[in-house]
Amino acid sequence: MFRNAFCAVALATLTLLVTAPVAAAPPSLTTWLFAEGSTNGAFGFEQEILIGNPNALPVTVTFELFTQDGQALVPVTRTIAARTRHTEHIRSLVGDRAGIALKLTSALPIVAERTMYWGGGLFRPEVKGYRGRVSDMRGGHSEHGTDDGARTWYFAEGEGKFFNTFISVANPGTSPANVVVSYRDDSGTEVKQAEVVPAHARRTFWPTAVLSARLVSGRAGFSTIVTSDVDVVAERQMYWGDGAPSGIRGGHSAMGVSAPAATWLFAEGIQGSLAPGGDPSFDTFVLLFNPSPAPIDVTVEFFGQAGVKLAQVVRTVKAGARGGVWARELPALTNKAFAIRATATEAFVAERAVYWRGLSEGTATAGANEPARQWGFAEGLQGGFLKYQDDDDDDKRRFNTFFPIYNPGMTPATVTVHFYTEDGDTGVSKTITVPAQSRETVWTLLYDELANRRFATFFSSTEPVVIERVVYWGKGNKAGHASLGIPLPDSLALTPATSAPAAPRLTIREIEPSHGPVTGGTEVELEGAGFGNTELGTQVLFGGVPALRLEVEHDRELKAITPPHALGAVDITIITRGTTLVLPKAFEYVAAGTTGSGSGRGRGSDDTDDSDDDSSTAGTKVEIEPRWGPARGGTLVKVEVDNALGRVIEVGSQVFFGTAAARVVKVEGNEIRVVAPAGVAGKVNVTVVTRGQVVARGTFEYL
């Protein structure tokens, strides 16, 4: 009974479909197939489809939905504006439903991804005053679709004791599919499941039903081959943990690969913590499946920044079996981020899995077989959003998006990044240089234009590279998902958006309450728009006195604790993103035990007063010593921050010179000492980041 119930709800996410050489077989980009999806409210599942339109023209996209229960659903269409990102909440199309496969079609090239979240509730209706239960978003996974089905799919990752593994198979064709799923444990022993998947439908296979009794904890891994007599789409999802409902805490998913290959490339990998004493600590695994009838030797190489090969190891993988590499086994990878290359003389299948916070959450994806000059992503978001917010939870569910870039070639790559936001033909473009045989990372937190925004991202490079995307959210990176990008043909023209995202106009619509005692301590909610992405780039003053404490709840609400003040009505001043807004007589200080005269205003103002202040350092004094150093790097730099909100630097804080991370030497009070990375002659921003939030900015000049 548990099997049937859980299978019906099980999701699967995709990994990536880069199996044939990218240059020889570019995806069509006009059809996107997904085997996995669910909006089952009993498990707190929510599903979004993200679409990026890189074209200079709008495009109409048709959604066809195939259900687990066989019910036919009417197709729907959406028009996606030029150079923009579109988000479709699948619950609005299908209601509460256990299993959903999906086909998207369009006349022009697009990129499409699916993101899943789960937790104790569902997404919040975007209405004021909602106090119902909201998803705690304890986990999530994301993957893009494939442009075509196949008769064989391979998966290197799988486990049948600690993890609950599922294989979702969708049949987008007009004939039933006779599907056989073969599981190979780490010794090469094979166990099979078979089922007919009707036309325009999906089915879920549960390996635990046939494997659990014969697998031993600690040695319960397996790989999977899905075969069919007609073209199908197959994805794998894995869940684990003690959280309710039904033991789902963490999870990841991946689309299968349709053919083994002799080379697998990964842009993402991380072992330990990137900051001294930082949390969480990460573990990276490389899973290797050998489907051939003879053993093979697989060479796995790990590359860091500036062309440094950090480590190399060779693994012998038995015929029809699985092997792997745990990055913890290699001391040179400790507290490092890296790219990965796995190669052999015979074709095999490789995936990379990353886990953190004591296996509370993780991600997994297959690699690319070849680099490409252009890549696309439909998913990306930075900051906080009302949709995911629970007023009763102090975890603000803020998002941080990263794009690791791996340049496997011998020539430095100049990479241009186009971010297209949801506003329609708006966005921002950036450029980064990735040295040969190196990995670099684009972190959208460092771009103020993307604060509290959702975006699609398209990359164009002078040299072939591999790019992935990683998204974390919640306190201490509570959860996250990752996906390899979509390789794009060189012929697809990628251009900047026509206009930059409009700076959100700072407005206050409501202040609640509008009065409080002279002793201070009143929590005041300010609802409006145009707020910053971080408390420490924003300031609220009552009668010229800074709030005792401030939180940016999400993109539409601030909470501030009033300081003590004399009797009477005072101005509320909000400073954020280079803009100052003054609300005259908006809050009244009253004697303790009284209700006030009502002279404080409960409504806000749309008036703004632009200033030249750096919004990222409002209320903050930053001292950088020395302020210059050689372009080769190596300068010991002290960054001291004086902030009205108190201590903002702590163990685990990071400092970036431009987009390059500095090596942290010492943290003491509100002072951090770092070694400047190499750079290019000229001035760069120095950005201090604590717990995923920008806390201070200054400048440094390379000579």
Side-chain angles (χ1 to χ4, degrees), residues 594-609:
T594 65
T595 59
S597 65
S599 61
R601 300 187 314 164
R603 287 287 171 181
S605 168
D606 289 347
D607 297 332
T608 60
D609 177 20

Side-chain angles (χ1 to χ4, degrees), residues 66 70 102 112 342 386 411 473 562 683:
F66 311 137
L102 183 67
L386 181 62
T411 303
W473 63 89
T562 62
K683 290 185 177 181

Side-chain angles (χ1 to χ4, degrees), residues 157-159 163-165 236-240 250-253 355:
E157 173 66 304
E159 203 272 357
F163 297 87
N164 220 343
T165 301
R236 182 206 64 238
Q237 60 273 15
M238 298 172 65
Y239 301 102
W240 63 90
H252 56 59
S253 69
Y355 300 94

Side-chain angles (χ1 to χ4, degrees), residues 494-661:
L494 298 177
T495 57
T498 300
S499 59
R505 191 179 183 204
L506 179 56
T507 62
I508 298 294
R509 291 187 293 272
E510 187 167 348
I511 302 167
E512 180 65 36
S514 59
H515 61 270
V518 295
T519 53
T522 303
E523 182 179 84
V524 178
E525 296 183 7
L526 299 100
E527 295 188 7
F531 303 142
N533 189 31
T534 164
E535 294 87 11
L536 299 166
T538 301
Q539 199 173 10
V540 175
L541 302 94
F542 293 82
V545 181
L548 296 178
R549 184 166 57 85
L550 170 68
E551 288 185 346
V552 179
E553 296 292 287
H554 46 80
D555 53 340
R556 305 183 198 177
E557 182 178 304
L558 304 175
K559 286 185 179 179
I561 305 296
T562 62
H565 201 281
L567 283 168
V570 299
D571 297 348
I572 296 179
T573 303
I574 301 100
I575 304 170
T576 186
R577 303 169 68 88
T579 298
T580 299
L581 175 63
V582 178
L583 305 173
K585 309 296 183 183
F587 186 85
E588 184 181 9
Y589 280 95
V590 300
T594 65
T595 59
S597 65
S599 61
R601 300 187 314 164
R603 287 287 171 181
S605 168
D606 289 347
D607 297 332
T608 60
D609 177 20
D610 294 334
S611 74
D612 295 328
D613 291 340
D614 182 350
S615 64
S616 66
T617 58
T620 302
K621 294 181 181 179
V622 181
E623 181 179 340
I624 297 175
E625 185 181 346
R627 290 183 171 274
W628 54 81
R632 66 176 180 273
T635 304
L636 182 63
V637 178
K638 179 184 74 172
V639 181
E640 188 172 2
V641 180
D642 180 13
N643 189 278
L645 297 179
R647 184 170 179 180
V648 296
I649 293 179
E650 58 188 47
V651 173
S653 292
Q654 297 171 276
V655 178
F656 293 83
F657 286 63
T659 58

